[in-house]
Amino acid sequence: MSRTWNFAAGPATMPEEVLRQAQAELLEWRDARASVMEISHRGKAFMALAAEIESDLRGLVAIPPHYKVLFLQGGATLQFALLAMNLAAPGQHADYVLSGHWGEKAAREAAPYVEVRIAADARASQYRALPPRADWQLDNGAAYVHYTPNETIHGLEFADIPEVGSVPLVADFSSSILSAPLDVTRFGMIYAGAQKNIGPSGLTLLIIREDLLTRATRPMAGIFRYAEHAAHESMLNTPNTFGWYLAGLTLQWIARCGGLAAMAARNRRKADTLYAAIDGSGGYYRNLVDASARSRMNIPFFLHDARLDSVFLRESEQAGLLALKGHRALGGMRASLYNAMPREGVEALVAFMQDFNKRHG
């Protein structure tokens, strides 16, 4: 088998233990005498599994009872529009904090359904720094405040949760969910695509405070309404059952690893190792993000000479280091260090970078 280190930003590497368990159970899951992909989502066996997974998630993240947990489809991008449709009435406005590509896209996709106010904007820094908190222009009358805790492309991350008063705080946690402990009570709604730290693509996690489900919004089809999905326990339509199952295995793996506090320590060590290699290279490698805003999950970096990029990518792949090409919006390289990336993978990358420097410096 030639499986190796996968630094993809998403769909991303998954825990090998999870993949092996799924492989072992693929043809016959528990006592169902069929694959988990083949059984009815409304049958007792899968309904029990769904309840078990929600219970595991609530225990892992400490989700209070007055928050609903939904497992949906459509990715985080669909939520950019749906959250505006569900949380704001016609004529209302919402505050958006722009810290990178995904914050921009969230605001753009919400615009047909809510008046978007840009409360803070880091574009002037080319998204190399977070917008200074003192400059945020928040409105107490906003339907919600939206921000992106971790920007996957630009490699920025908020170190803390912003204080926004009584206005519900909404966050796209796609690339940092389950990477550290999280105080859910600070948020009105959290959403995240699964394909980075939860499981495979095609599943979206939503955690929403119950009172927000009763907001008067606008006429819309039931399939677009969060309250309908909550009333049907995420089974309003046929869900991504296999993705849901794999998410459950991933939650169990995180628990076996020591939970979110252990994940946070593990992820901090990995990121520190790679940043130290970049910063200690004498300028051969560069990360342009302000040190206070550097992401633990997604680390973009650039070679001192862009003409070496294609050589670096070719040789790194030959060395078993996959998917290091930077996003087309930035170029360069990007290493994503999600939960499932082990320390050994980061050490292998650092060793390659140092060797590449010696050979091509």
Side-chain angles (χ1 to χ4, degrees), residues 5-14 102 150-155 173-176 193-199 201 295 297-300 322-328 333-339 341:
W5 311 120
N6 177 12
F7 293 91
T13 190
M14 289 183 62
W102 292 109
N150 185 84
E151 284 283 358
T152 314
I153 293 174
H154 290 90
F173 265 96
S174 291
S175 52
S176 55
Q195 65 273 13
K196 303 171 191 294
N197 274 330
I198 303 173
S201 61
S295 169
M297 297 284 97
N298 311 100
I299 302 180
L322 306 182
L324 285 168
K325 186 176 182 179
H327 190 274
R328 60 185 178 276
M333 314 300 154
R334 175 177 54 177
S336 293
L337 310 183
Y338 301 125
N339 286 349
M341 172 56 65

Side-chain angles (χ1 to χ4, degrees), residues 149-195:
N150 185 84
E151 284 283 358
T152 314
I153 293 174
H154 290 90
L156 284 81
E157 183 175 16
F158 285 83
D160 57 0
I161 301 170
E163 177 56 58
V164 298
S166 60
V167 177
L169 181 61
V170 177
D172 174 7
F173 265 96
S174 291
S175 52
S176 55
I177 191 74
L178 303 181
S179 66
L182 180 63
D183 184 358
V184 173
T185 65
R186 298 284 300 279
F187 298 88
M189 181 180 127
I190 288 167
Y191 64 103
Q195 65 273 13

Side-chain angles (χ1 to χ4, degrees), residues 214-253:
T214 64
R215 283 192 166 187
T217 53
R218 70 195 70 231
M220 68 181 90
I223 195 68
F224 298 145
R225 196 177 293 280
Y226 291 150
E228 285 294 313
H229 286 281
H232 290 82
E233 299 179 320
S234 303
M235 308 250 183
L236 183 60
N237 63 330
T238 305
N240 178 357
T241 55
F242 194 61
W244 203 338
Y245 152 80
L246 285 169
L249 296 187
T250 302
L251 296 177
Q252 292 173 2
W253 172 79

Side-chain angles (χ1 to χ4, degrees), residues 61-80:
V61 189
I63 301 172
H66 63 291
Y67 282 77
K68 287 288 187 181
V69 174
L70 303 179
F71 294 91
L72 305 176
Q73 299 177 67
T77 300
L78 178 59
Q79 307 315 311
F80 294 163

Side-chain angles (χ1 to χ4, degrees), residues 81-287:
L82 288 189
L83 69 89
M85 295 167 65
N86 279 269
L87 301 182
Q92 280 193 295
H93 63 272
D95 286 345
Y96 276 74
V97 176
L98 305 189
S99 55
H101 172 89
W102 292 109
E104 274 191 34
K105 190 167 184 180
R108 187 167 62 248
E109 294 297 302
Y113 308 103
V114 67
E115 180 189 340
V116 170
R117 290 180 68 257
I118 305 303
D121 190 347
R123 280 178 289 192
S125 73
Q126 297 181 297
Y127 294 134
R128 295 176 180 175
L130 294 170
R133 198 70 57 87
D135 296 342
W136 291 24
Q137 300 294 316
L138 299 175
D139 184 351
N140 290 334
Y144 58 87
V145 178
H146 182 281
Y147 85 117
T148 309
N150 185 84
E151 284 283 358
T152 314
I153 293 174
H154 290 90
L156 284 81
E157 183 175 16
F158 285 83
D160 57 0
I161 301 170
E163 177 56 58
V164 298
S166 60
V167 177
L169 181 61
V170 177
D172 174 7
F173 265 96
S174 291
S175 52
S176 55
I177 191 74
L178 303 181
S179 66
L182 180 63
D183 184 358
V184 173
T185 65
R186 298 284 300 279
F187 298 88
M189 181 180 127
I190 288 167
Y191 64 103
Q195 65 273 13
K196 303 171 191 294
N197 274 330
I198 303 173
S201 61
L203 187 73
T204 306
L205 172 65
L206 194 105
I207 303 169
I208 184 167
R209 209 172 63 212
E210 283 186 336
D211 65 288
L212 297 180
L213 296 173
T214 64
R215 283 192 166 187
T217 53
R218 70 195 70 231
M220 68 181 90
I223 195 68
F224 298 145
R225 196 177 293 280
Y226 291 150
E228 285 294 313
H229 286 281
H232 290 82
E233 299 179 320
S234 303
M235 308 250 183
L236 183 60
N237 63 330
T238 305
N240 178 357
T241 55
F242 194 61
W244 203 338
Y245 152 80
L246 285 169
L249 296 187
T250 302
L251 296 177
Q252 292 173 2
W253 172 79
I254 293 173
R256 290 195 301 272
C257 290
L260 298 187
M263 281 291 133
R266 165 187 171 128
N267 290 329
R268 183 74 272 164
R269 286 193 296 270
K270 291 185 299 184
D272 286 348
T273 297
L274 182 51
Y275 281 122
I278 294 168
D279 295 341
S281 69
Y284 194 88
Y285 302 105
R286 295 172 296 124
N287 173 274

Side-chain angles (χ1 to χ4, degrees), residues 26-38:
L26 186 62
L27 293 180
E28 294 188 39
W29 173 69
R30 295 184 179 175
D31 58 357
R33 296 186 295 177
S35 172
V36 71
M37 286 187 289
E38 300 173 308

Side-chain angles (χ1 to χ4, degrees), residues 273-274 277 345-355:
T273 297
L274 182 51
V346 179
E347 291 174 347
L349 172 58
V350 167
F352 171 80
M353 291 168 65
Q354 293 170 342
D355 178 65

